[in-house]
Amino acid sequence: MKKFLLSSTILLLSMAGFSQSDKYQGAMETSLTSLYEAKTGPELQAASANFERIANAEKTQWLPYYYAAIGQIWRGFGVPNEQKDEVATQAEKLLDQAEALSPNNAEIFIARNMTSTIHMLVDPMTRWQTYGQQGGQALASAKKLDAGNPRIYYLEGQGLFGMPEQFGGGKANAKPLFAKSVALFETYKPVDGLSPNWGKKQAKEMLDQCN
């Protein structure tokens, strides 16, 4: 009888764990679809809020915090300059929470490069020395952890694409980085269905602009 009760308890706990995991998986997949299909600032804000709710419910998963930050980051590139600092700072706080759960994570450093870029875009001439260096350091850290990550080279190319040629930028200098990103995407395999897998389309579009 005791063995039966013990076996039943273990089974129920296993089923509860599966149910919770299944619910998390479903919520994440639905929110990812919303994030990747979002085309406006309010849609990105809503997707970010969905991920933040998942993160606050789970508390041990870094990905919901990461995607909540990504929603804010993508929104941040489109808001007026007077709102960029606030949005970037909000994303950074979410990345801090993700990093607390997953230290030394290349994807988080990649996202931090983008928050630095948003801060810099408020006033590139005066902010480059601070935020440009921060963004470069973030990508250097990501490269040490995961040199085969195609998002690194996509963002490096973005940084050069908008930079004047006299400072080492321009299409000609950005093109090899976009080409490398596109090539890496051809063989890149995310860890699982919830892991970051964005950037391929954007890298191809930027490479086309360099031709």
Side-chain angles (χ1 to χ4, degrees):
M1 184 65 178
K2 288 182 179 179
K3 288 184 178 179
F4 173 77
L5 290 173
L6 179 60
S7 298
S8 297
T9 300
I10 293 173
L11 178 61
L12 287 171
L13 288 173
S14 298
M15 289 176 65
F18 174 79
S19 177
Q20 184 177 13
S21 174
D22 196 47
K23 183 177 180 181
Y24 168 73
Q25 181 82 17
M28 287 291 289
E29 289 174 354
T30 299
S31 296
L32 272 174
T33 298
S34 297
L35 176 66
Y36 288 142
E37 291 182 352
K39 292 180 174 61
T40 67
E43 288 173 347
L44 287 167
Q45 175 71 15
S48 176
N50 284 339
F51 280 114
E52 196 165 358
R53 281 191 288 270
I54 296 171
N56 291 334
E58 291 291 329
K59 301 187 185 304
T60 60
Q61 302 286 346
W62 71 274
L63 276 171
Y65 288 113
Y66 164 83
Y67 283 121
I70 291 294
Q72 294 298 336
I73 288 166
W74 291 349
R75 184 172 78 93
F77 283 108
V79 300
N81 281 357
E82 58 268 22
Q83 297 177 23
K84 288 188 186 300
D85 282 330
E86 180 183 355
V87 176
T89 299
Q90 188 174 353
E92 286 163 346
K93 290 178 180 177
L94 291 163
L95 291 174
D96 288 343
Q97 291 173 287
E99 190 170 24
L101 295 168
S102 182
N104 299 317
N105 187 318
E107 296 293 352
I108 294 173
F109 282 116
I110 289 169
R112 289 194 185 280
N113 166 270
M114 292 187 287
T115 61
S116 295
T117 299
I118 294 169
H119 281 301
M120 186 186 68
L121 288 174
V122 174
D123 188 353
M125 292 298 293
T126 60
R127 292 190 173 196
W128 162 251
Q129 190 169 4
T130 299
Y131 291 110
Q133 289 184 7
Q134 282 184 11
Q137 289 168 359
L139 286 186
S141 296
K143 198 176 292 186
K144 287 180 181 178
L145 294 165
D146 185 13
N149 190 312
R151 282 175 284 281
I152 295 171
Y153 307 99
Y154 162 63
L155 290 176
E156 282 187 333
Q158 283 278 45
L160 290 181
F161 186 84
M163 186 185 298
E165 290 183 9
Q166 60 265 35
F167 297 115
K171 291 183 178 181
N173 290 316
K175 183 177 179 178
L177 291 165
F178 292 134
K180 182 172 184 176
S181 176
V182 170
L184 285 171
F185 269 120
E186 293 304 318
T187 56
Y188 177 77
K189 300 292 183 185
V191 175
D192 55 42
L194 298 182
S195 295
N197 195 27
W198 57 268
K200 183 176 182 178
K201 178 183 176 182
Q202 295 93 325
K204 285 184 175 181
E205 289 174 349
M206 293 306 300
L207 180 60
D208 289 341
Q209 289 189 45
C210 292
N211 292 327

